[in-house]
Amino acid sequence: MKSLKDKIVSEGIVLSDTVLKVDSFLNHQMDPQLMKEMGEEFARRFAEDKITKVLTIESSGIAPALMTALTLNVPLVFARKQKSLTLREDLIVERVHSFTKEVTNDVTVSRKYLSPDDNVLIIDDFLAVGEAAQGLARITEQVGAKVAGIGIVIEKSFQTGRHTLIEAGYRVESLARIASLHDSSVQFIEE
Ligand code: 5GP
């Protein structure tokens, strides 16, 4: 997606060979117009898939996932990283290790908001080794629902996540695919 790639080039900060910081439009300040365009693009790619629910993980997945859900006219559910005091019973729990924060969270979703007949589109901001997306897929499958696909805003294609998800049988759609962050420069996979 050209507008996203342009934004990454103009505002992204390469922190290391493996980490890209995009706090100015996705991970801290958010660009609503770009979020809207990304939501429309995900919705276009999954238009024929009869999606009934969009699932993401707090917090940075929420904005693109919400715009996708709005365009598809389905609810958005976000998995929580911290156990909420009001979220007590019937929880689906999966352990997810965070690549950037180097912590493991018990990620939870209430069974109230996912049912076996759901056809779920998983959305996340980044794909690195695929832990977050796999955790969301396991949550979906724990309730007997189907994973229709996984939509990623920024895929770091030089890490293992995409391969792992495709090997596991999931369809992965990424709006920007990064081939390398070497020498503080962002190189994309041209598609
Ligand atoms: P994975 O679970 O695929 O290993 O990593 C994906 C998660 O880690 C995303 O939800 C995102 O929050 C975070 N993440 C991974 N790599 C990066 C990165 O290069 N930059 C930022 N800002 N977040 C990342």
Side-chain angles (χ1 to χ4, degrees):
M1 201 181 128
K2 187 171 182 308
S3 52
L4 172 62
K5 287 192 203 168
D6 289 348
K7 198 81 167 169
I8 292 171
V9 169
S10 61
E11 297 184 18
I13 298 166
V14 179
L15 289 186
S16 70
D17 274 4
T18 54
V19 180
L20 176 69
K21 184 169 167 163
V22 288
D23 279 9
S24 72
F25 65 91
L26 183 59
N27 290 143
H28 194 0
Q29 175 170 261
M30 287 186 180
D31 178 334
Q33 183 58 39
L34 183 63
M35 297 300 136
K36 181 166 173 278
E37 284 170 38
M38 297 194 302
E40 287 165 355
E41 179 60 19
F42 281 131
R44 190 184 67 72
R45 295 191 191 194
F46 288 94
E48 307 301 321
D49 292 86
K50 298 190 171 64
I51 305 299
T52 62
K53 221 152 258 189
V54 175
L55 177 65
T56 190
I57 183 165
E58 66 179 354
S59 53
S60 295
I62 294 176
L66 180 64
M67 300 317 278
T68 308
L70 178 67
T71 312
L72 290 170
N73 196 25
V74 298
L76 161 70
V77 179
F78 65 92
R80 291 181 164 178
K81 286 180 185 162
Q82 250 102 45
K83 282 205 184 86
S84 157
L85 287 177
T86 57
L87 198 68
R88 282 178 185 214
E89 69 269 345
D90 258 350
L91 290 182
I92 315 160
V93 185
E94 281 292 339
R95 305 218 98 183
V96 171
H97 182 75
S98 164
F99 172 82
T100 41
K101 301 200 180 81
E102 294 180 342
V103 292
T104 300
N105 289 302
D106 275 336
V107 169
T108 58
V109 172
S110 166
R111 277 183 197 274
K112 247 178 148 175
Y113 303 118
L114 278 181
S115 72
D117 37 291
D118 272 322
N119 195 32
V120 176
L121 171 56
I122 292 170
I123 299 279
D124 203 9
D125 59 342
F126 270 89
L127 178 60
V129 300
E131 273 278 313
Q134 284 183 96
L136 293 174
R138 288 195 301 269
I139 284 175
T140 305
E141 286 157 1
Q142 266 201 50
V143 294
K146 184 171 171 269
V147 177
I150 298 170
I152 299 291
V153 175
I154 303 173
E155 173 191 304
K156 291 180 294 175
S157 311
F158 55 88
Q159 292 182 290
T160 54
R162 181 186 183 86
H163 180 74
T164 303
L165 296 177
I166 286 175
E167 282 284 291
Y170 300 114
R171 173 179 164 201
V172 179
E173 290 286 344
S174 304
L175 302 185
R177 298 185 64 200
I178 294 179
S180 160
L181 293 174
H182 197 53
D183 282 342
S184 301
S185 140
V186 183
Q187 303 295 330
F188 293 102
I189 291 181
E190 296 305 336
E191 293 176 290

